[in-house]
Amino acid sequence: SERSLVLVKPDGYARGLSGEVLRRIEAKGYTLVALAVTTPTRENLARHYAEHEGKPFYEPLLEFMSSGPVTAAVIEGQGCIPGFRALAGATNPTEAAPGSIRGDLGRDWGEKVQKNIVHGSDSPESAEREIAIWFPEL
Ligand code: GTP
Ligand code: MG
């Protein structure tokens, strides 16, 4: 069935929020099918964020995402791609609804990059592409 690629970004990992994010995923009813802790390479991040190349936040984003470990997961369940996006909340944590991961646990830290704790695939095509980057063995 449907799969999505979830990252607990370096800010979330450093704050010890990996367990909280995974708890919410499992409590929602999605299944963890792969899990890893890894410090992303620039090469993989350039592939992952290819759609954002050239945007003003691209370089700060790659710098931030390669700054430390992330927790990467493949999750599974009907509707888990939009379902996890709903769990995550709006990209900007200040605007994210309370009840969501970003709304409950995130804030504006006054930095160039929006440190917003998690990433989740935004479409079936993105999910397939991203899972191949982070879990080539799957
Ligand atoms: P992801 O789940 O991480 O992909 O977030 P998203 O899909 O909600 O946002 P998007 O893919 O548009 O952007 C990827 C990441 O770049 C975001 O999660 C933010 O960390 C950062 N970002 C996106 N838009 C902006 C922006 O306008 N300003 C800044 N500073 N950062 C941004
Ligand atoms: Mg995105």
Side-chain angles (χ1 to χ4, degrees):
S1 73
E2 188 166 312
R3 289 183 169 188
S4 185
L5 187 279
V6 170
L7 300 176
V8 181
K9 296 181 177 184
D11 59 323
Y13 180 89
R15 290 176 60 202
L17 296 175
S18 297
E20 171 67 15
V21 171
L22 297 176
R23 186 193 67 74
R24 289 177 184 227
I25 288 167
E26 291 193 304
K28 179 75 172 174
Y30 301 139
T31 305
L32 297 172
V33 300
L35 193 58
V37 175
T38 180
T39 299
T41 63
R42 293 267 318 187
E43 289 79 0
N44 275 355
L45 291 170
R47 291 174 66 195
H48 179 86
Y49 284 122
E51 63 173 313
H52 295 309
E53 200 185 341
K55 294 183 186 170
F57 60 84
Y58 177 78
E59 266 308 319
L61 178 62
L62 261 61
E63 196 66 31
F64 161 59
M65 288 295 297
S66 59
S67 68
V70 304
T71 299
V74 176
I75 68 171
E76 186 172 278
Q78 197 62 43
C80 73
I81 294 172
F84 179 78
R85 301 276 294 182
L87 287 183
T91 303
N92 181 341
T94 299
E95 292 162 8
S100 68
I101 291 167
R102 289 161 173 167
D104 286 348
L105 308 171
R107 53 163 283 192
D108 186 345
W109 300 96
E111 293 169 43
K112 265 187 295 190
V113 188
Q114 279 176 354
K115 294 188 169 174
N116 59 7
I117 307 173
V118 288
H119 163 82
S121 305
D122 62 12
S123 68
E125 296 71 29
S126 299
E128 187 178 2
R129 193 179 65 78
E130 293 170 2
I131 289 168
I133 294 169
W134 296 90
F135 294 96
E137 68 275 20
L138 284 187

